[in-house]
Amino acid sequence: MNLTVFGATGGVGGEIARQALSAGHRVTAVVRDPARLEVTGARLKVFRADLTDPEALRAAVAGRDAVLSALGSRNRKADGVTARMTRTILAAMEAEGVRRLLVVSAAPVGPEPEGDGLLDRTVRRIVSAALKDVYDDLREMEAELARSSTDWTAVRPPRLQNKPLTGAYRTVVGGTPAKGRFLARTDVAHAMLAMADDPGTVKQGVGVAY
C-alpha cells in the first residue's frame, strides 16, 4: 500500500512508519522537523509541513491508499490541538478524494467495558478526570471524523508502554476490551496497519488492549 503517516516523530507514529516499511509499503512521513525523524528506508518519503493549512497537505495525501495519524497533545492542557490538526488532515483528504483514515484515540473515549471490576472502573474514572482536557480533545476529534466523508477508524488503546511487539492484543469493534489496562506502542501500530484494509472497522471506534 501507499501510506501517509502523521506524527511519525512520535512513539506510535514512528512505529507505524517503521512497521509499514518493513512490510513493504511505501510511506510518506509528514513531519514539522525532519531532524527528529528516526525512521529510514528506501520506500520512505519525508514531507515537511505544519498542520495548519489543508492546501499544504494535499500533496502529502494525494493518491494514497490510507492515511494514518498518531497525532496528539503533548501535555494535559490539550486546548483542542488534536481536533484542529485532524480537521486539517480531513480537509486535505476530502479535497483529494482520499477516503481511508485511521487515527489514534484513547480507551476512555469509548464505552465502558463490560465485565470490569470495581478497581478497573475506579482507576478509569480517576484517570479520565485527571486527563479531562486530553480526552475532551479526542472526543471532539472523533466528532470531526463522524462529520467527515472519510472511511475513518478511531483506534482506542489504554495506557501506552514502550515494549516489543507481541501481536497478542484484543480488539473490540465499537467497544472496549474488559480489563484492558496497557498496550505497547508497537502493538498499537501493528493493529492500525492490520485495520487499514479491514472494512469491518470503517466508521468505527475500535478498542485495543492486552
Side-chain angles (χ1 to χ4, degrees), residues 2 7-10 16 24 34 38 62 75-76 83 101 119-120 153 167-168 177 181:
N2 194 357
T9 58
I16 294 171
E38 298 179 356
N75 56 60
R76 294 186 179 186
L101 172 64
L119 175 61
D120 287 293
T153 300
R181 300 175 182 176

Side-chain angles (χ1 to χ4, degrees), residues 146-161:
R147 289 190 288 264
S148 77
S149 63
T150 60
D151 293 334
W152 57 269
T153 300
V155 180
R156 300 169 176 160
R159 183 177 177 182
L160 299 179
Q161 298 177 318

Side-chain angles (χ1 to χ4, degrees), residues 26-207:
R26 296 185 299 278
V27 174
T28 297
V30 181
V31 297
R32 282 172 286 193
D33 182 4
R36 295 181 56 221
L37 183 64
E38 298 179 356
V39 182
T40 60
R43 292 179 299 276
L44 175 68
K45 176 182 178 181
V46 180
F47 189 99
R48 183 174 184 174
D50 63 28
L51 298 178
T52 60
D53 181 7
E55 287 297 315
L57 296 180
R58 289 181 61 171
V61 302
R64 302 313 195 268
D65 298 303
V67 175
L68 299 94
S69 173
L71 295 169
S73 173
R74 296 183 181 275
N75 56 60
R76 294 186 179 186
K77 293 184 179 181
D79 196 28
V81 64
T82 309
R84 289 198 302 273
M85 291 188 294
T86 303
R87 192 178 302 123
T88 304
I89 294 169
L90 287 167
M93 291 179 63
E94 290 174 341
E96 290 295 331
V98 178
R99 296 196 58 84
R100 190 68 174 116
L101 172 64
L102 300 96
V103 303
V104 177
S105 186
V109 177
E112 287 206 359
E114 297 181 6
D116 264 1
L118 178 60
L119 175 61
D120 287 293
R121 293 198 306 270
T122 301
V123 170
R124 180 185 177 95
R125 288 165 188 170
I126 291 172
V127 172
S128 294
L131 298 176
K132 182 180 183 300
D133 285 352
V134 173
Y135 296 141
D136 283 349
D137 184 19
L138 294 176
R139 290 185 184 95
E140 178 56 29
M141 175 193 72
E142 292 199 20
E144 291 286 348
L145 298 177
R147 289 190 288 264
S148 77
S149 63
T150 60
D151 293 334
W152 57 269
T153 300
V155 180
R156 300 169 176 160
R159 183 177 177 182
L160 299 179
Q161 298 177 318
N162 290 320
K163 288 189 175 181
L165 176 68
T166 71
Y169 49 80
R170 297 171 290 150
T171 61
V172 179
V173 177
T176 307
K179 299 181 180 179
R181 300 175 182 176
F182 303 101
L183 191 64
R185 289 174 174 82
T186 50
D187 280 315
V188 179
H190 187 271
M192 291 181 71
L193 288 167
M195 293 179 203
D197 59 357
D198 180 357
T201 65
V202 170
K203 299 187 185 299
Q204 296 283 347
V206 182

